[in-house]
PDB file of all heavy atoms in Angstrom:
ATOM      1  N   PRO A 249     125.501 150.004 107.701  1.00  0.00           N
ATOM      2  CA  PRO A 249     125.006 150.382 109.032  1.00  0.00           C
ATOM      3  C   PRO A 249     126.105 150.840 109.989  1.00  0.00           C
ATOM      4  O   PRO A 249     125.814 151.447 111.010  1.00  0.00           O
ATOM      5  CB  PRO A 249     124.329 149.098 109.541  1.00  0.00           C
ATOM      6  CG  PRO A 249     124.952 147.987 108.751  1.00  0.00           C
ATOM      7  CD  PRO A 249     125.277 148.576 107.411  1.00  0.00           C
ATOM      8  N   LYS A 250     127.382 150.590 109.663  1.00  0.00           N
ATOM      9  CA  LYS A 250     128.478 150.997 110.555  1.00  0.00           C
ATOM     10  C   LYS A 250     128.805 152.482 110.415  1.00  0.00           C
ATOM     11  O   LYS A 250     129.497 153.041 111.259  1.00  0.00           O
ATOM     12  CB  LYS A 250     129.746 150.177 110.261  1.00  0.00           C
ATOM     13  CG  LYS A 250     129.620 148.681 110.474  1.00  0.00           C
ATOM     14  CD  LYS A 250     130.968 147.998 110.429  1.00  0.00           C
ATOM     15  CE  LYS A 250     131.673 148.133 109.093  1.00  0.00           C
ATOM     16  NZ  LYS A 250     131.003 147.421 107.986  1.00  0.00           N
ATOM     17  N   PHE A 251     128.322 153.114 109.341  1.00  0.00           N
ATOM     18  CA  PHE A 251     128.737 154.485 109.051  1.00  0.00           C
ATOM     19  C   PHE A 251     127.543 155.412 108.914  1.00  0.00           C
ATOM     20  O   PHE A 251     126.493 155.007 108.394  1.00  0.00           O
ATOM     21  CB  PHE A 251     129.557 154.534 107.753  1.00  0.00           C
ATOM     22  CG  PHE A 251     130.829 153.764 107.815  1.00  0.00           C
ATOM     23  CD1 PHE A 251     130.915 152.499 107.269  1.00  0.00           C
ATOM     24  CD2 PHE A 251     131.945 154.285 108.446  1.00  0.00           C
ATOM     25  CE1 PHE A 251     132.082 151.773 107.334  1.00  0.00           C
ATOM     26  CE2 PHE A 251     133.116 153.564 108.513  1.00  0.00           C
ATOM     27  CZ  PHE A 251     133.193 152.307 107.966  1.00  0.00           C
ATOM     28  N   PRO A 252     127.704 156.678 109.346  1.00  0.00           N
ATOM     29  CA  PRO A 252     126.623 157.658 109.191  1.00  0.00           C
ATOM     30  C   PRO A 252     126.635 158.314 107.815  1.00  0.00           C
ATOM     31  O   PRO A 252     126.386 159.501 107.685  1.00  0.00           O
ATOM     32  CB  PRO A 252     126.936 158.664 110.310  1.00  0.00           C
ATOM     33  CG  PRO A 252     128.416 158.633 110.437  1.00  0.00           C
ATOM     34  CD  PRO A 252     128.831 157.205 110.146  1.00  0.00           C
ATOM     35  N   PHE A 253     126.965 157.542 106.784  1.00  0.00           N
ATOM     36  CA  PHE A 253     126.967 158.023 105.406  1.00  0.00           C
ATOM     37  C   PHE A 253     126.012 157.144 104.601  1.00  0.00           C
ATOM     38  O   PHE A 253     125.788 155.981 104.948  1.00  0.00           O
ATOM     39  CB  PHE A 253     128.370 157.963 104.796  1.00  0.00           C
ATOM     40  CG  PHE A 253     129.423 158.670 105.608  1.00  0.00           C
ATOM     41  CD1 PHE A 253     130.339 157.949 106.366  1.00  0.00           C
ATOM     42  CD2 PHE A 253     129.482 160.043 105.634  1.00  0.00           C
ATOM     43  CE1 PHE A 253     131.302 158.586 107.124  1.00  0.00           C
ATOM     44  CE2 PHE A 253     130.442 160.706 106.387  1.00  0.00           C
ATOM     45  CZ  PHE A 253     131.361 159.975 107.128  1.00  0.00           C
ATOM     46  N   LEU A 254     125.477 157.685 103.521  1.00  0.00           N
ATOM     47  CA  LEU A 254     124.434 156.975 102.784  1.00  0.00           C
ATOM     48  C   LEU A 254     124.945 156.260 101.543  1.00  0.00           C
ATOM     49  O   LEU A 254     124.172 155.612 100.843  1.00  0.00           O
ATOM     50  CB  LEU A 254     123.313 157.952 102.398  1.00  0.00           C
ATOM     51  CG  LEU A 254     122.586 158.587 103.586  1.00  0.00           C
ATOM     52  CD1 LEU A 254     121.508 159.545 103.102  1.00  0.00           C
ATOM     53  CD2 LEU A 254     122.003 157.521 104.510  1.00  0.00           C
ATOM     54  N   GLY A 255     126.235 156.353 101.250  1.00  0.00           N
ATOM     55  CA  GLY A 255     126.789 155.681 100.088  1.00  0.00           C
ATOM     56  C   GLY A 255     126.571 156.497  98.817  1.00  0.00           C
ATOM     57  O   GLY A 255     125.777 157.438  98.775  1.00  0.00           O
ATOM     58  N   VAL A 256     127.298 156.141  97.750  1.00  0.00           N
ATOM     59  CA  VAL A 256     127.148 156.887  96.495  1.00  0.00           C
ATOM     60  C   VAL A 256     125.756 156.645  95.931  1.00  0.00           C
ATOM     61  O   VAL A 256     125.239 155.528  95.945  1.00  0.00           O
ATOM     62  CB  VAL A 256     128.239 156.502  95.472  1.00  0.00           C
ATOM     63  CG1 VAL A 256     129.606 156.932  95.960  1.00  0.00           C
ATOM     64  CG2 VAL A 256     128.226 155.014  95.163  1.00  0.00           C
ATOM     65  N   HIS A 257     125.135 157.708  95.448  1.00  0.00           N
ATOM     66  CA  HIS A 257     123.771 157.631  94.954  1.00  0.00           C
ATOM     67  C   HIS A 257     123.566 158.643  93.836  1.00  0.00           C
ATOM     68  O   HIS A 257     124.455 159.444  93.526  1.00  0.00           O
ATOM     69  CB  HIS A 257     122.772 157.867  96.093  1.00  0.00           C
ATOM     70  CG  HIS A 257     123.058 159.076  96.935  1.00  0.00           C
ATOM     71  ND1 HIS A 257     123.837 159.029  98.072  1.00  0.00           N
ATOM     72  CD2 HIS A 257     122.695 160.375  96.805  1.00  0.00           C
ATOM     73  CE1 HIS A 257     123.929 160.238  98.607  1.00  0.00           C
ATOM     74  NE2 HIS A 257     123.247 161.074  97.854  1.00  0.00           N
ATOM     75  N   PHE A 258     122.390 158.623  93.253  1.00  0.00           N
ATOM     76  CA  PHE A 258     122.029 159.550  92.188  1.00  0.00           C
ATOM     77  C   PHE A 258     120.986 160.529  92.711  1.00  0.00           C
ATOM     78  O   PHE A 258     119.971 160.109  93.283  1.00  0.00           O
ATOM     79  CB  PHE A 258     121.460 158.805  90.973  1.00  0.00           C
ATOM     80  CG  PHE A 258     122.461 157.937  90.256  1.00  0.00           C
ATOM     81  CD1 PHE A 258     122.618 156.603  90.608  1.00  0.00           C
ATOM     82  CD2 PHE A 258     123.244 158.453  89.226  1.00  0.00           C
ATOM     83  CE1 PHE A 258     123.525 155.793  89.948  1.00  0.00           C
ATOM     84  CE2 PHE A 258     124.162 157.647  88.558  1.00  0.00           C
ATOM     85  CZ  PHE A 258     124.303 156.315  88.913  1.00  0.00           C
ATOM     86  N   THR A 259     121.224 161.813  92.505  1.00  0.00           N
ATOM     87  CA  THR A 259     120.331 162.846  93.008  1.00  0.00           C
ATOM     88  C   THR A 259     119.981 163.829  91.890  1.00  0.00           C
ATOM     89  O   THR A 259     120.850 164.537  91.385  1.00  0.00           O
ATOM     90  CB  THR A 259     120.984 163.645  94.156  1.00  0.00           C
ATOM     91  OG1 THR A 259     121.409 162.745  95.177  1.00  0.00           O
ATOM     92  CG2 THR A 259     120.006 164.656  94.738  1.00  0.00           C
ATOM     93  N   ARG A 260     118.719 163.848  91.518  1.00  0.00           N
ATOM     94  CA  ARG A 260     118.271 164.906  90.607  1.00  0.00           C
ATOM     95  C   ARG A 260     118.119 166.191  91.403  1.00  0.00           C
ATOM     96  O   ARG A 260     117.473 166.207  92.455  1.00  0.00           O
ATOM     97  CB  ARG A 260     116.942 164.535  89.943  1.00  0.00           C
ATOM     98  CG  ARG A 260     116.420 165.638  89.008  1.00  0.00           C
ATOM     99  CD  ARG A 260     115.259 165.143  88.172  1.00  0.00           C
ATOM    100  NE  ARG A 260     114.095 164.796  88.975  1.00  0.00           N
ATOM    101  CZ  ARG A 260     113.189 165.676  89.405  1.00  0.00           C
ATOM    102  NH1 ARG A 260     113.343 166.978  89.153  1.00  0.00           N
ATOM    103  NH2 ARG A 260     112.153 165.269  90.094  1.00  0.00           N
ATOM    104  N   ARG A 261     118.719 167.258  90.921  1.00  0.00           N
ATOM    105  CA  ARG A 261     118.663 168.532  91.627  1.00  0.00           C
ATOM    106  C   ARG A 261     117.529 169.397  91.090  1.00  0.00           C
ATOM    107  O   ARG A 261     116.976 169.133  90.021  1.00  0.00           O
ATOM    108  CB  ARG A 261     120.000 169.257  91.513  1.00  0.00           C
ATOM    109  CG  ARG A 261     121.148 168.472  92.171  1.00  0.00           C
ATOM    110  CD  ARG A 261     122.395 169.295  92.243  1.00  0.00           C
ATOM    111  NE  ARG A 261     122.186 170.513  93.007  1.00  0.00           N
ATOM    112  CZ  ARG A 261     122.863 170.853  94.092  1.00  0.00           C
ATOM    113  NH1 ARG A 261     123.803 170.057  94.552  1.00  0.00           N
ATOM    114  NH2 ARG A 261     122.630 171.978  94.717  1.00  0.00           N
ATOM    115  N   ILE A 262     117.207 170.435  91.833  1.00  0.00           N
ATOM    116  CA  ILE A 262     116.059 171.264  91.479  1.00  0.00           C
ATOM    117  C   ILE A 262     116.277 172.001  90.159  1.00  0.00           C
ATOM    118  O   ILE A 262     115.318 172.369  89.482  1.00  0.00           O
ATOM    119  CB  ILE A 262     115.743 172.254  92.625  1.00  0.00           C
ATOM    120  CG1 ILE A 262     114.297 172.765  92.532  1.00  0.00           C
ATOM    121  CG2 ILE A 262     116.752 173.379  92.693  1.00  0.00           C
ATOM    122  CD1 ILE A 262     113.253 171.737  92.817  1.00  0.00           C
ATOM    123  N   ASP A 263     117.544 172.184  89.741  1.00  0.00           N
ATOM    124  CA  ASP A 263     117.833 172.854  88.468  1.00  0.00           C
ATOM    125  C   ASP A 263     117.885 171.882  87.293  1.00  0.00           C
ATOM    126  O   ASP A 263     118.192 172.274  86.164  1.00  0.00           O
ATOM    127  CB  ASP A 263     119.142 173.647  88.557  1.00  0.00           C
ATOM    128  CG  ASP A 263     120.359 172.763  88.835  1.00  0.00           C
ATOM    129  OD1 ASP A 263     120.202 171.527  88.933  1.00  0.00           O
ATOM    130  OD2 ASP A 263     121.467 173.315  88.964  1.00  0.00           O
ATOM    131  N   GLY A 264     117.590 170.596  87.551  1.00  0.00           N
ATOM    132  CA  GLY A 264     117.581 169.597  86.488  1.00  0.00           C
ATOM    133  C   GLY A 264     118.869 168.822  86.350  1.00  0.00           C
ATOM    134  O   GLY A 264     118.916 167.799  85.660  1.00  0.00           O
ATOM    135  N   ASP A 265     119.939 169.302  86.990  1.00  0.00           N
ATOM    136  CA  ASP A 265     121.201 168.577  86.983  1.00  0.00           C
ATOM    137  C   ASP A 265     121.036 167.265  87.756  1.00  0.00           C
ATOM    138  O   ASP A 265     120.149 167.141  88.604  1.00  0.00           O
ATOM    139  CB  ASP A 265     122.279 169.443  87.643  1.00  0.00           C
ATOM    140  CG  ASP A 265     123.679 169.044  87.237  1.00  0.00           C
ATOM    141  OD1 ASP A 265     123.813 168.089  86.462  1.00  0.00           O
ATOM    142  OD2 ASP A 265     124.633 169.699  87.691  1.00  0.00           O
ATOM    143  N   VAL A 266     121.879 166.282  87.463  1.00  0.00           N
ATOM    144  CA  VAL A 266     121.854 165.012  88.202  1.00  0.00           C
ATOM    145  C   VAL A 266     123.252 164.745  88.740  1.00  0.00           C
ATOM    146  O   VAL A 266     124.214 164.625  87.971  1.00  0.00           O
ATOM    147  CB  VAL A 266     121.398 163.832  87.323  1.00  0.00           C
ATOM    148  CG1 VAL A 266     121.444 162.524  88.123  1.00  0.00           C
ATOM    149  CG2 VAL A 266     119.994 164.074  86.795  1.00  0.00           C
ATOM    150  N   GLU A 267     123.361 164.671  90.074  1.00  0.00           N
ATOM    151  CA  GLU A 267     124.642 164.378  90.713  1.00  0.00           C
ATOM    152  C   GLU A 267     124.776 162.890  90.973  1.00  0.00           C
ATOM    153  O   GLU A 267     123.786 162.194  91.227  1.00  0.00           O
ATOM    154  CB  GLU A 267     124.758 165.132  92.037  1.00  0.00           C
ATOM    155  CG  GLU A 267     125.017 166.606  91.891  1.00  0.00           C
ATOM    156  CD  GLU A 267     125.281 167.279  93.220  1.00  0.00           C
ATOM    157  OE1 GLU A 267     124.763 166.799  94.249  1.00  0.00           O
ATOM    158  OE2 GLU A 267     125.989 168.298  93.232  1.00  0.00           O
ATOM    159  N   ALA A 268     126.017 162.416  90.935  1.00  0.00           N
ATOM    160  CA  ALA A 268     126.335 161.025  91.255  1.00  0.00           C
ATOM    161  C   ALA A 268     127.437 161.030  92.298  1.00  0.00           C
ATOM    162  O   ALA A 268     128.528 161.533  92.062  1.00  0.00           O
ATOM    163  CB  ALA A 268     126.784 160.280  90.007  1.00  0.00           C
ATOM    164  N   GLY A 269     127.135 160.483  93.460  1.00  0.00           N
ATOM    165  CA  GLY A 269     128.084 160.480  94.567  1.00  0.00           C
ATOM    166  C   GLY A 269     127.322 160.732  95.857  1.00  0.00           C
ATOM    167  O   GLY A 269     126.096 160.608  95.888  1.00  0.00           O
ATOM    168  N   PRO A 270     127.990 161.081  96.939  1.00  0.00           N
ATOM    169  CA  PRO A 270     129.437 161.290  97.029  1.00  0.00           C
ATOM    170  C   PRO A 270     130.146 160.082  97.630  1.00  0.00           C
ATOM    171  O   PRO A 270     129.522 159.210  98.228  1.00  0.00           O
ATOM    172  CB  PRO A 270     129.528 162.457  98.013  1.00  0.00           C
ATOM    173  CG  PRO A 270     128.402 162.175  98.990  1.00  0.00           C
ATOM    174  CD  PRO A 270     127.298 161.552  98.158  1.00  0.00           C
ATOM    175  N   ASN A 271     131.470 160.075  97.481  1.00  0.00           N
ATOM    176  CA  ASN A 271     132.281 159.185  98.306  1.00  0.00           C
ATOM    177  C   ASN A 271     132.505 159.885  99.650  1.00  0.00           C
ATOM    178  O   ASN A 271     131.874 160.903  99.934  1.00  0.00           O
ATOM    179  CB  ASN A 271     133.612 158.869  97.610  1.00  0.00           C
ATOM    180  CG  ASN A 271     134.400 160.130  97.305  1.00  0.00           C
ATOM    181  OD1 ASN A 271     133.932 161.247  97.506  1.00  0.00           O
ATOM    182  ND2 ASN A 271     135.612 159.976  96.810  1.00  0.00           N
ATOM    183  N   ALA A 272     133.377 159.387 100.490  1.00  0.00           N
ATOM    184  CA  ALA A 272     133.652 160.022 101.782  1.00  0.00           C
ATOM    185  C   ALA A 272     135.118 159.793 102.128  1.00  0.00           C
ATOM    186  O   ALA A 272     135.489 158.722 102.602  1.00  0.00           O
ATOM    187  CB  ALA A 272     132.749 159.454 102.877  1.00  0.00           C
ATOM    188  N   VAL A 273     135.943 160.803 101.850  1.00  0.00           N
ATOM    189  CA  VAL A 273     137.377 160.685 102.114  1.00  0.00           C
ATOM    190  C   VAL A 273     137.784 161.731 103.154  1.00  0.00           C
ATOM    191  O   VAL A 273     137.190 162.805 103.238  1.00  0.00           O
ATOM    192  CB  VAL A 273     138.215 160.864 100.828  1.00  0.00           C
ATOM    193  CG1 VAL A 273     137.901 159.772  99.835  1.00  0.00           C
ATOM    194  CG2 VAL A 273     137.973 162.228 100.191  1.00  0.00           C
ATOM    195  N   LEU A 274     138.789 161.404 103.929  1.00  0.00           N
ATOM    196  CA  LEU A 274     139.290 162.338 104.923  1.00  0.00           C
ATOM    197  C   LEU A 274     139.817 163.586 104.225  1.00  0.00           C
ATOM    198  O   LEU A 274     140.641 163.504 103.313  1.00  0.00           O
ATOM    199  CB  LEU A 274     140.399 161.688 105.748  1.00  0.00           C
ATOM    200  CG  LEU A 274     141.045 162.589 106.809  1.00  0.00           C
ATOM    201  CD1 LEU A 274     140.058 162.899 107.921  1.00  0.00           C
ATOM    202  CD2 LEU A 274     142.306 161.916 107.368  1.00  0.00           C
TER     203      LEU A 274
END
Side-chain angles (χ1 to χ4, degrees):
K250 298 191 298 293
F251 297 100
F253 306 105
L254 297 179
V256 294
H257 49 269
F258 293 91
T259 305
R260 178 169 64 83
R261 297 189 59 121
I262 201 69
D263 62 2
D265 202 359
V266 178
E267 286 187 331
N271 58 354
V273 297
L274 178 68

